[in-house]
Amino acid sequence: MKNEILPSLLFANHQPPIQQQMSTFSEEELATQFEKLGFQDKKVKEILKNKKVSTALGEIIAELPSTENANTALLHSFASLAKDTSDELKPYRKLVTLAIADSRLKTNLQLDAAWTYVKEHKEASTNAGLDEAAGVGIEVTEAQINEEVAKYINENKTEIETQRYKIVPSLLTSVKKLPSLKWANPGAFKPIIDKQILELLGPKDERDLVKKKEKKEKPTAQKAVKEEPAKVRSMFSEGFLGALHKPGENVQVNQKLMDEHLKFTGGRVFTRFPPEPNGYLHIGHSKAIAVNFGYAKFHDGVCYLRYDDTNPEAEEEQYFTSIRETVDWLGFKPYKITYSSDYFDHLYELAEFLIKKGLAYVCFCTAEEMKIGRGLVNGKGGHERKGCPEREKSVDVNLQEFRNMRDGKYGKGEATLRMKQDFKNDNPQMWDLVAYRVLNAPHHRTGDKWKIYPTYDFTHCLVDSFENISHSLCTTEFYLSRESYEWLCDAVEVYKPAQREYGRLNLTGTIMSKRKIAKLVNDKYVHGWDDPRLFTLVGIRRRGVPPGAILHFVAQLGVTTSNSNIQTARFESSVRKYLEDSTPRLMMVLDPIPVILENLPEDHYEEFDVPFKPGTPEMGSHKLPFTRKFYIDRSDFREEASKDYFRMAPGQSVGLLKVPHNVRVTSFTKDESGNVTEIRAHYENDVPAKKPKTFIQWIADAPTKNSPVRLGEVRLFNQLFKSENPESNPDGFLADINPDSETILKNAIIETGFFEVKENSPWTPVNAQNQSKEEQVLQGKETKGEPEAVRFQALRVGYFCMDKDSTDSSIVLNRIVTLKEDSAKSK
């Protein structure tokens, strides 16, 4: 009967006609269909650019009896061939579509022949006629190709021996045209011809050398332009960072200082990331890490991790450890890990040197008196600026008083060492900044050795100098500090690094103040500094955001001198795109309801091979059991069917992802509260296959295969705050907390493929071999065994990762981000 099917009967059970169906399909709906078929996102976008091809492909997909294991490449080729099909010819097109679906057509050559046959014969077309025209069932073996090639070479032996290897290209074309080899695999010809030609002629020799024509020499200027390599776009080679000076171009008061600097660095870029170890790093610091470590790495230089540990009262070991681990997680290896305290002795020597030059003095002013001297009265500036009385004391007196400070003769706040700068300068950073203050606090590394500690303004530039930093990169709030930075280096006669300032990264809808985050932690509004709702880097990491996604986000924004105030939604969108390209897919059911297929036996068992990411074979696949009993999500069932609802409902057929036949609900039961507790359904393996309007996810009940995997907790996170600016709330930022920022589900299940995902995590991006230099610099680093590196897309639910609270007997998952909004999901 198969060979007698007439095209006029092909659409008897499908209404309305294909062209009427497709006219209502939007571009978004077409994209969804193409993705379900297995096309990758990039290919979908390419297809949609051609309206005729995309419309034709949509119509062809609608003609398929099933989308399981569809030959996407051949279907796309057919859409290109059939894009201009007239309405008169469309009813006969399905004959070719079905031949692709049942794998009778395997090559573009067969496809071309089949479509030509249908166009010529129209209503007279039959399966038998198509098979004959397209060579269906004709298998040309490698032995047959060898035999025909040998025969052809023997018949043309004289000409071949004369022209030798020059004839091979035309030989290949001629052999392909042989009638006996019309349906042979085109890829098999060349290796067979090459082998036989080698046996006939032997290896190539001087007779086979191609003499190159001498080209006229082009003018030097033109040649130089042509040979100039194309510029690769990168945050490190354009914009703010691209405009930075080269090592050695920062001017010194003494050229000898630069000569010594370049001798040490070899002319390489030297940068540093200098955090204060008094709290956990937040999302804003990721930009500083990317800029300092990334810029150095991109230019084959080095970057120090330097702890600015000059305030022992606020520093704790947990912060040192967290900073080091975060830098490592973001994929950067410090040239050296140093501490400002490494240089306390040298800094003290330079402080005395500054006093001896008459450029520093011990001041006994209170904080309020200092403000008045700087022209600040009652919090308002603009008043007369003047130095304190001690400013003009002798070098000897100041030197002795400074040593008294060192020896503990003054208490906290009683004395400071100030730099003698310029009160007439309009820059506040030149109004006699404090260089040293009394703290009388033990230091975690130097113990009780010091009673005085240098300030940031004194320490920062000098330690940059000690470490031969070529590019001191910081955020724009330090712009005014550049003048005092350079003044101090010149004053103590050391190498002067070049400070340059870029705009900082801020996220709206959250807070990043250490003090306020501490309030949230201490008052139990969140579960700790690494709570996934916070935008600390440890919190973002626990939430499951890959390090590469954070750095990719920074690169997207670029580096300028303007501050970036970005909505958290934009950050999450960037993360979502990153995950889309790099995570496997699994089926997970948050609120399961059992479904029993009444027409299958109790022991029914099948296995289906399911790809981890459709359209990306490099990511592999896994086996899933299919049994008489399985689970669906409660949101995929309605007690009454309706025209606008395509998922599971009484009497309505629905597809199960990767399952060959549809299921149809026959009945359901409810408990006393009205909740559905079980669904009974019919497995439609006894009727002709019909393409469903939608597919839903499912998880088999197969205890011998450990399916389903029952989860301890699934944590769904939303924004911690209700508004874009929590601090603007008149009742304080705590009043802006979102009471629904965390939802915990305890009844969810997941398919057994989870264990393969866990075993193979972290997954290497598919395009890892073709990364640009910037992508290599900003890819981050994750190691096997880290729970947050076990991440996946739960189909139709969101992106998830394992939480550190997971145990061998209880898996805890965190939602990283939701999926894109999709109106089709409500149907």
Side-chain angles (χ1 to χ4, degrees):
M1 182 67 185
K2 173 185 175 184
N3 288 334
E4 265 70 62
I5 294 178
L6 295 177
S8 59
L9 301 178
L10 291 175
F11 298 99
N13 296 321
H14 292 259
Q15 31 181 314
I18 292 299
Q19 53 267 39
Q20 293 180 12
Q21 291 182 47
M22 292 310 301
S23 64
T24 62
F25 278 19
S26 67
E27 185 174 293
E28 182 180 358
E29 289 170 326
L30 285 174
T32 301
Q33 290 297 319
F34 299 166
E35 289 172 351
K36 287 180 179 178
L37 196 66
F39 286 104
Q40 295 185 47
D41 184 57
K42 184 177 180 181
K43 191 66 176 178
V44 170
K45 292 177 181 177
E46 177 189 321
I47 296 171
L48 290 174
K49 288 179 181 179
N50 190 319
K51 188 173 182 180
K52 285 186 177 181
V53 173
S54 61
T55 300
L57 182 56
E59 293 175 357
I60 290 167
I61 291 172
E63 295 169 357
L64 293 171
S66 169
T67 57
E68 182 73 14
N69 298 319
N71 188 332
T72 55
L74 209 57
L75 289 170
H76 184 210
S77 295
F78 187 30
S80 299
L81 280 176
K83 67 180 185 296
D84 296 315
T85 303
S86 65
D87 290 343
E88 177 189 2
L89 192 58
K90 283 183 180 179
Y92 317 113
R93 181 181 58 199
K94 189 174 181 182
L95 203 65
V96 179
T97 301
L98 294 178
I100 296 173
D102 62 20
S103 299
R104 282 182 290 138
L105 299 181
K106 298 182 174 65
T107 68
N108 283 318
L109 186 64
Q110 288 182 307
L111 175 64
D112 289 344
W115 184 231
T116 299
Y117 166 79
V118 169
K119 288 191 293 183
E120 290 176 355
H121 292 79
K122 298 178 182 175
E123 67 270 15
S125 301
T126 64
N127 277 307
L130 182 147
D131 289 353
E132 182 179 358
V136 173
I138 298 176
E139 298 289 337
V140 181
T141 66
E142 186 172 320
Q144 289 174 304
I145 299 174
N146 258 307
E147 183 180 345
E148 291 296 325
V149 169
K151 182 179 176 181
Y152 185 87
I153 288 177
N154 188 56
E155 290 173 351
N156 297 275
K157 184 177 181 181
T158 302
E159 183 181 3
I160 293 172
E161 287 179 332
T162 301
Q163 296 195 39
R164 291 182 61 80
Y165 281 91
K166 290 193 289 289
I167 202 175
V168 171
S170 60
L171 182 63
L172 179 60
T173 303
S174 299
V175 169
K176 284 183 177 180
K177 291 180 179 178
L178 293 174
S180 58
L181 299 181
K182 179 178 181 180
W183 304 113
N185 176 12
F189 289 111
K190 190 174 187 304
I192 290 173
I193 291 174
D194 287 346
K195 181 181 178 182
Q196 293 197 24
I197 289 294
L198 180 64
E199 291 172 354
L200 175 65
L201 303 177
K204 288 183 179 181
D205 56 30
E206 63 275 7
R207 290 172 292 177
D208 304 302
L209 295 176
V210 179
K211 294 182 179 180
K212 295 182 179 180
K213 295 181 179 179
E214 291 185 8
K215 294 183 179 180
K216 293 182 179 180
E217 188 70 18
K218 293 184 178 181
T220 305
Q222 292 182 6
K223 184 177 181 181
V225 171
K226 184 177 179 180
E227 292 179 354
E228 185 178 347
K231 185 177 181 181
V232 178
R233 299 198 63 174
S234 164
M235 67 176 276
F236 301 117
S237 60
E238 57 186 29
F240 170 82
L241 294 176
L244 290 175
H245 62 282
K246 291 181 173 59
E249 291 182 350
N250 43 316
V251 179
Q252 305 294 313
V253 293
N254 185 337
Q255 181 57 35
K256 183 180 178 182
L257 297 173
M258 176 57 73
D259 295 341
E260 292 172 351
H261 163 74
L262 291 175
K263 182 179 180 180
F264 179 86
T265 66
R268 290 185 297 164
V269 169
F270 269 53
T271 63
R272 79 290 170 270
F273 172 59
E276 296 178 69
N278 60 1
Y280 288 90
L281 303 180
H282 55 65
I283 184 68
H285 291 107
S286 66
K287 182 174 184 179
I289 292 171
V291 166
N292 283 285
F293 278 99
Y295 183 77
K297 190 174 181 179
F298 186 85
H299 290 286
D300 301 316
V302 299
C303 181
Y304 289 85
L305 169 57
R306 182 203 308 154
Y307 294 109
D308 185 23
D309 57 342
T310 57
N311 185 10
E313 294 176 323
E315 295 157 4
E316 294 183 31
E317 184 57 36
Q318 61 174 321
Y319 303 138
F320 287 90
T321 302
S322 174
I323 291 169
R324 184 175 65 251
E325 290 176 349
T326 298
V327 169
D328 181 67
W329 177 66
L330 288 173
F332 298 111
K333 183 178 181 180
Y335 170 60
K336 290 181 181 179
I337 297 177
T338 61
Y339 302 77
S340 292
S341 56
D342 292 340
Y343 308 100
F344 276 178
D345 288 336
H346 195 183
L347 289 169
Y348 178 82
E349 292 171 0
L350 289 181
E352 286 207 350
F353 178 64
L354 200 63
I355 294 171
K356 292 174 181 177
K357 289 187 68 175
L359 294 176
Y361 61 96
V362 174
C363 174
F364 298 98
C365 293
T366 64
E368 187 59 32
E369 288 170 340
M370 280 191 191
K371 290 180 182 178
I372 294 172
R374 289 170 173 164
L376 293 169
V377 180
N378 296 323
K380 296 181 179 180
H383 296 273
E384 181 185 359
R385 298 189 294 271
K386 57 182 178 181
C388 78
E390 283 79 22
R391 197 173 194 266
E392 302 307 324
K393 287 187 176 179
S394 69
V395 167
D396 291 339
V397 169
N398 281 311
L399 194 58
Q400 184 58 53
E401 291 290 16
F402 184 51
R403 291 171 180 172
N404 290 341
M405 287 173 58
R406 178 198 63 189
D407 297 337
K409 292 185 178 180
Y410 295 109
K412 181 179 179 180
E414 292 180 355
T416 60
L417 179 70
R418 296 176 67 180
M419 294 177 270
K420 190 182 291 187
Q421 296 171 293
D422 182 7
F423 276 105
K424 294 180 181 180
N425 193 311
D426 290 333
N427 184 351
Q429 287 299 110
M430 292 298 292
W431 298 345
D432 287 17
L433 298 178
V434 173
Y436 268 83
R437 76 278 199 205
V438 177
L439 287 181
N440 280 328
H443 192 277
H444 72 107
R445 298 185 74 241
T446 61
D448 295 324
K449 178 178 179 179
W450 296 97
K451 302 295 188 292
I452 56 173
Y453 292 93
T455 62
Y456 174 89
D457 290 309
F458 187 79
T459 306
H460 186 64
C461 60
L462 295 181
V463 176
D464 277 355
S465 177
F466 302 158
E467 294 180 344
N468 278 284
I469 302 304
S470 61
H471 296 75
S472 180
L473 306 176
C474 55
T475 49
T476 50
E477 66 257 40
F478 295 103
Y479 173 72
L480 293 178
S481 298
R482 188 197 296 188
E483 187 173 1
S484 60
Y485 180 108
E486 296 177 348
W487 177 90
L488 180 56
C489 288
D490 288 342
V492 295
E493 302 172 20
V494 297
Y495 159 74
K496 179 174 58 186
Q499 176 181 300
R500 296 295 181 265
E501 309 83 16
Y502 58 89
R504 66 185 301 162
L505 169 61
N506 300 309
L507 286 190
T508 62
T510 187
I511 58 170
M512 291 190 280
S513 159
K514 294 174 186 176
R515 179 179 60 82
K516 291 177 180 176
I517 295 176
K519 175 73 173 174
L520 292 172
V521 173
N522 295 334
D523 292 354
K524 309 300 182 185
Y525 290 99
V526 294
H527 306 307
W529 287 87
D530 65 349
D531 188 296
R533 292 167 293 178
L534 296 175
F535 282 85
T536 56
L537 287 175
V538 289
I540 296 173
R541 178 178 182 176
R542 185 176 180 183
R543 181 173 158 185
V545 176
I550 298 172
L551 298 172
H552 179 72
F553 173 65
V554 171
Q556 278 183 322
L557 298 176
V559 183
T560 68
T561 56
S562 299
N563 290 335
S564 299
N565 295 299
I566 307 299
Q567 290 183 315
T568 53
R570 183 175 175 186
F571 171 69
E572 291 182 349
S573 176
S574 178
V575 171
R576 188 180 292 113
K577 173 58 181 171
Y578 188 93
L579 293 171
E580 165 68 24
D581 298 333
S582 60
T583 53
R585 274 60 168 159
L586 295 175
M587 291 189 285
M588 183 169 77
V589 174
L590 298 180
D591 189 5
I593 304 177
V595 179
I596 309 295
L597 297 176
E598 296 177 311
N599 61 323
L600 293 184
E602 292 281 351
D603 61 351
H604 181 83
Y605 181 83
E606 293 181 72
E607 272 191 350
F608 301 125
D609 190 64
V610 180
F612 277 118
K613 188 173 186 292
T616 310
E618 302 94 322
M619 294 186 76
S621 62
H622 60 295
K623 300 289 185 182
L624 281 186
F626 178 70
T627 57
R628 181 174 185 261
K629 178 181 179 182
F630 59 90
Y631 298 89
I632 67 166
D633 196 273
R634 190 173 299 275
S635 65
D636 284 332
F637 176 74
R638 282 187 186 175
E639 297 179 26
E640 294 182 8
S642 62
K643 292 181 179 180
D644 62 346
Y645 185 75
F646 304 140
R647 286 181 269 169
M648 191 170 277
Q652 184 164 283
S653 295
V654 67
L656 302 177
L657 286 170
K658 301 302 178 182
V659 176
H661 300 285
N662 300 338
V663 298
R664 182 181 71 255
V665 175
T666 56
S667 65
F668 59 90
T669 57
K670 299 196 290 186
D671 60 18
E672 295 177 354
S673 301
N675 297 314
V676 175
T677 57
E678 183 182 271
I679 299 170
R680 293 271 168 170
H682 183 86
Y683 187 48
E684 296 183 335
N685 60 347
D686 51 0
V687 296
K690 181 179 178 181
K691 185 182 177 184
K693 291 184 178 179
T694 194
F695 292 87
I696 62 174
Q697 57 180 332
W698 55 276
I699 298 176
D701 184 67
T704 59
K705 299 294 182 179
N706 297 316
S707 179
V709 179
R710 300 196 178 276
L711 301 171
E713 284 186 1
V714 174
R715 299 168 180 171
L716 307 180
F717 300 109
N718 297 307
Q719 288 297 110
L720 182 59
F721 297 98
K722 293 181 285 188
S723 73
E724 283 296 300
N725 186 6
E727 295 178 271
S728 67
N729 191 300
D731 296 321
F733 74 97
L734 294 177
D736 199 56
I737 290 179
N738 175 14
D740 300 317
S741 63
E742 180 184 48
T743 301
I744 298 177
L745 306 177
K746 293 182 176 290
N747 196 35
I749 58 176
I750 196 169
E751 58 158 286
T752 55
F754 171 80
F755 294 111
E756 288 186 55
V757 168
K758 180 182 177 183
E759 177 63 27
N760 293 323
S761 293
W763 289 62
T764 303
V766 173
N767 64 344
Q769 302 300 320
N770 301 313
Q771 290 180 325
S772 66
K773 187 170 184 179
E774 179 187 274
E775 289 171 330
Q776 294 171 16
V777 168
L778 301 178
Q779 63 185 341
K781 187 187 82 173
E782 294 186 289
T783 56
K784 196 173 186 65
E786 296 172 335
E788 70 277 357
V790 181
R791 58 180 72 88
F792 59 92
Q793 183 195 110
L795 296 173
R796 295 183 59 245
V797 182
Y799 292 94
F800 289 80
C801 77
M802 272 183 63
D803 186 79
K804 68 177 184 179
D805 290 341
S806 298
T807 64
D808 291 340
S809 60
S810 179
I811 299 168
V812 178
L813 300 180
N814 294 331
R815 184 171 68 188
I816 307 169
V817 287
T818 60
L819 297 178
K820 292 179 181 178
E821 289 297 323
D822 186 350
S823 59
K825 289 179 185 175
S826 63
K827 297 183 178 182

